[in-house]
Amino acid sequence: MKPEVLLELLENTADQLGVRVSYEPLQNSVVHGGLCRVKREYRIIVDKRASSEERVITVAGWICT
């Protein structure tokens, strides 16, 4: 399955779980994103410069925990 298709499925799953996925530029680090809570809303923030594969790994890692 293409990473873009898998990412869309993961984003839909996150939405069903009430978790918002957003893409923002993050400072240079080895982490490509993470889960946080902003104003009582859970969010997975992903580095918008990350590759499709890195985005899939980041989102899946937080949904599956």
Side-chain angles (χ1 to χ4, degrees):
M1 183 177 296
K2 291 186 178 185
E4 295 81 11
V5 174
L6 185 54
L7 185 59
E8 185 176 343
L9 292 171
L10 289 167
E11 289 171 343
N12 290 338
T13 301
D15 187 51
Q16 291 174 0
L17 293 171
V19 178
R20 183 174 151 219
V21 178
S22 63
Y23 298 91
E24 301 176 21
L26 300 178
Q27 292 182 1
N28 293 338
S29 68
V30 293
V31 178
H32 297 288
L35 179 71
C36 65
R37 189 171 173 183
V38 179
K39 296 183 181 177
R40 298 184 181 173
E41 176 186 68
Y42 284 101
R43 291 177 56 190
I44 299 172
I45 300 174
V46 182
D47 190 345
K48 72 183 218 175
R49 295 170 294 200
S51 68
S52 296
E53 291 84 3
E54 292 167 334
R55 290 177 179 200
V56 166
I57 291 167
T58 301
V59 176
W62 290 106
I63 289 177
C64 297
T65 40

